[in-house]
Amino acid sequence: MTTDPPASWPSRRAKALAFRALHARADGFIVPNPWDVGSARLLAGLGFESLATTSAGHAFSRGVPDNCVPRDALMTHLAEIAAATHLPVTADLENGFGDAPEEVGRTLQLAAEAGVVGGSIEDARSGTGDRLYAREFAAERIRAAVEAARSLPFPFVLTARAENYRVGQPDLADTIARLQAYQEAGADVLFAPGLICPQDIASVVRSVDRPVNVMLGDPCLELGVPELVQLGVRRISVGASLARAAFGEFLRAASELRNLGSASYARAAVSGADLSRCFAPYTGGPA
């Protein structure tokens, strides 16, 4: 396996500049989340302008729950995705793989070395119970990530995440206070996964002066991209929802095969010839 991109593809710096420029667009943009090289290349072929990895989708592809992939394995995955297409890639770096700010900074440096031009850091520990870091300590972790990002020879886009809604502590005021603290710490993009109420999303956008990311794919979120952009959202991701959709189809097909002994699912499946045409431009490239 090689992770050296073709010489005709943009340099890492060019990718970084292109990714940063997307956040300045008034009409916003979608950054979908592949979980492996094949899904990354299919998304690139559909015309998306950037990609974001998904920790859950990657974990599921390895047959383990989310937050169970070691840092070294994640870096190998990031290198594969970053080298798989010409698009800029931002990485789901979970909580930075350590409580200490210096570990967060180290994780960001390793991700940059793997080839990504952006990354997100969560403000919650892995595990059960009260998982949110204290706000001041969480901001210190973001400052360490910012310091690591600013030491790089290209403009790395750092996203700071407030995990209140994801960990069962849906406090909008604290979410906003956390995002404001991360903005002050130097984060480039702000993200509070789990927001579904238009009024709450609008409040977050009004409360900060950095681009805000909102995640589609939550069945309770009834807004689409046009509505989110109208609220002032600059970046729209989808988390593991594409991976879950793919695994859902696989499970339905396999259950039919096991329980009914039939394969009607094959009639709706994409053909091998179509997939081969999608992947043909990468013949001889990184894989």
Side-chain angles (χ1 to χ4, degrees), residues 28 47 49 54 66 89 137 151-152 163 200 211 213 239 272 282:
E49 299 169 283
T54 159
D66 193 12
V89 176
F137 182 64
S151 71
L152 298 171
E163 301 294 297
D200 292 348
N213 184 101
Y282 302 99

Side-chain angles (χ1 to χ4, degrees), residues 6-137:
S8 60
W9 285 4
S11 67
R12 185 174 59 174
R13 180 171 180 78
K15 288 182 178 182
L17 291 171
F19 188 56
R20 184 170 290 273
L22 290 173
H23 294 80
R25 289 197 334 204
D27 58 345
F29 70 101
I30 304 171
V31 55
N33 303 73
W35 59 95
D36 61 10
V37 167
S39 58
R41 289 177 170 174
L42 290 174
L43 290 168
L46 288 172
F48 288 102
E49 299 169 283
S50 61
L51 302 173
T53 67
T54 159
S55 66
H58 175 224
F60 299 156
S61 75
R62 294 172 62 91
V64 297
D66 193 12
N67 303 121
C68 290
V69 176
R71 184 166 66 179
D72 288 349
L74 174 64
M75 295 306 152
T76 299
H77 171 66
L78 296 186
E80 291 172 346
I81 297 295
T85 84
H86 64 287
L87 297 179
V89 176
T90 184
D92 180 347
L93 299 176
E94 303 182 28
N95 75 339
F97 290 87
D99 296 332
E102 53 267 27
E103 280 302 313
V104 176
R106 177 60 178 156
T107 294
L108 189 142
Q109 290 174 330
L110 290 172
E113 291 171 7
V116 301
V117 297
S120 63
I121 297 294
E122 302 167 2
D123 64 354
R125 297 179 179 87
S126 298
T128 58
D130 182 6
R131 297 189 293 168
L132 289 175
Y133 294 108
R135 190 189 308 161
E136 296 78 9
F137 182 64

Side-chain angles (χ1 to χ4, degrees), residues 27 35 40 43 55 57 66 68-69 84 103 113 140 159 164 168 196 199 203-205 207-208 226 235 247 262 269 277:
D27 58 345
W35 59 95
L43 290 168
S55 66
D66 193 12
C68 290
V69 176
E103 280 302 313
E113 291 171 7
E140 184 180 343
T159 300
N164 300 64
I196 59 173
Q199 292 81 4
S203 293
V204 167
V205 171
S207 299
V208 297
R235 189 172 88 186
F247 280 108
S262 59
R277 279 192 291 271

Side-chain angles (χ1 to χ4, degrees), residues 204-217:
V204 167
V205 171
R206 287 194 303 267
S207 299
V208 297
D209 64 10
R210 305 291 161 85
V212 171
N213 184 101
V214 169
M215 185 168 63
L216 287 179

Side-chain angles (χ1 to χ4, degrees), residues 91-282:
D92 180 347
L93 299 176
E94 303 182 28
N95 75 339
F97 290 87
D99 296 332
E102 53 267 27
E103 280 302 313
V104 176
R106 177 60 178 156
T107 294
L108 189 142
Q109 290 174 330
L110 290 172
E113 291 171 7
V116 301
V117 297
S120 63
I121 297 294
E122 302 167 2
D123 64 354
R125 297 179 179 87
S126 298
T128 58
D130 182 6
R131 297 189 293 168
L132 289 175
Y133 294 108
R135 190 189 308 161
E136 296 78 9
F137 182 64
E140 184 180 343
R141 286 163 38 86
I142 295 300
R143 279 192 291 273
V146 169
E147 182 177 350
R150 301 301 177 258
S151 71
L152 298 171
F154 61 91
F156 190 97
V157 175
L158 174 65
T159 300
R161 295 176 43 151
E163 301 294 297
N164 300 64
Y165 287 77
R166 190 178 67 84
V167 301
Q169 298 182 44
D171 184 331
L172 182 62
D174 186 60
T175 297
I176 289 174
R178 285 174 175 272
L179 294 177
Q180 289 173 333
Y182 307 155
Q183 172 180 291
E184 290 301 312
D188 301 300
V189 179
L190 303 170
F191 180 21
L195 287 178
I196 59 173
C197 174
Q199 292 81 4
D200 292 348
I201 294 170
S203 293
V204 167
V205 171
R206 287 194 303 267
S207 299
V208 297
D209 64 10
R210 305 291 161 85
V212 171
N213 184 101
V214 169
M215 185 168 63
L216 287 179
D218 187 322
C220 295
L221 178 63
E222 299 180 353
L223 304 177
V225 171
E227 293 82 9
L228 290 172
V229 171
Q230 190 171 15
L231 291 173
V233 175
R234 293 289 183 88
R235 189 172 88 186
I236 296 101
S237 59
V238 297
S241 62
L242 287 174
R244 290 188 286 103
F247 280 108
E249 287 301 313
F250 172 84
L251 287 171
R252 281 186 284 274
S255 295
E256 177 193 347
L257 184 64
R258 175 66 179 86
N259 298 328
L260 302 179
S262 59
S264 66
Y265 62 83
R267 291 194 290 271
V270 62
S271 73
D274 284 343
L275 286 174
S276 291
R277 279 192 291 271
C278 289
F279 296 137
Y282 302 99

